[in-house]
Amino acid sequence: MQVNVCGCEMQLVLGDITQQTVDAIVNAANSDLAGGGGVDGAIHSAGGPAIMEETREKFPDGCATGSAVVTQAGLLSAKWVIHAVGPVWKGGQLEEPLQLMSAYRRCMQLATELECESVALPAISTGAYGYPIDLAANVALKTCIDYQKWHKAPQQIRFVLFSEGDYGAFARSLEQQVEI
Ligand code: APR
C-alpha cells in the first residue's frame, strides 16, 4: 500500500526490515543499545559486528527513551542504521504516546540531516515492549505524515510490518489519516 503525502511517498509493506534497500533502516533498540531479539537481533545479525562496535564506541551511555542515534549499516543494504528507543507499554497513562512520537520524530530529523531519500521503519515498541499495535500505528503514521507534510522529506518512508495482523492495523490507520 502506498499513498502520496505532499509529493512524498508513504509505503506499507509486509516483510523483514533487514532485507530492505534504503538509505536508512530504523532499529527498535533499548536504551542501553545492548542488542536483543526482534528487530534489534535481526539487524545486528544481518548487519554484522561492525554496527555494535560503532555503537559501543560512540554511545557508551546508550540512548534515552524517545530518542535515537545513528551508526553505519555494516552489511545491510543501507547507508545508516538509526537506533530508536521506544517506550515500554505500561497501560498508556504515562508518557508512552509522547515517547513513541518523540522516537519517530527523532528518526525523521536524523534522516533529514543525513539527506536520506528513503527510510525503512519497524513498528517500534509493538513487540517485546508490548505497545498495542492499533495505538502504535496511529502514533507512528501521524508523526511521520506530519513530518513529511511540513518538511517535504524524507521522499520515501516505508513501514515494514512483520505480520498480516500488523500490516492490517497500519493499513486501517493510514486509510483513516489520509484521503485515498
Ligand atoms: N522486520 C520487521 N519487523 C520485525 C522484525 C523484522 N525482522 N522482527 C520483529 N519485527 C516486529 C515485531 O513483530 C514487532 O511488531 O517489529 C516490531 C517491534 O518488535 P521488537 O523488535 O520486539 O521491538 P520493541 O517492541 O521496540 O522492543 C525493543 O526488544 O529486542 C529487544 O533490544 C530490543 O530491548 C529492545 C526491545
Side-chain angles (χ1 to χ4, degrees), residues 15-17 28-30 35-40 42 123-129 160 162 166:
D16 179 347
I17 198 156
N30 52 65
V39 173
D40 208 358
I124 296 170
S125 285
T126 66
Y129 283 179
V160 183
F162 209 45
D166 290 356

Side-chain angles (χ1 to χ4, degrees), residues 92-103:
Q93 300 304 311
L94 300 171
E95 301 262 277
E96 298 100 306
L98 284 175
Q99 287 172 330
L100 189 60
M101 184 176 69
S102 171

Side-chain angles (χ1 to χ4, degrees), residues 1-3 10 12 137-138 141 145 167-180:
M1 180 174 179
Q2 177 170 318
V3 300
M10 174 66 69
L12 306 183
N138 290 341
L141 289 167
I145 287 169
Y167 182 92
F170 268 71
R172 282 191 298 277
S173 180
L174 187 55
E175 280 169 12
Q176 283 172 7
Q177 295 193 42
V178 296
E179 288 178 33
I180 295 178

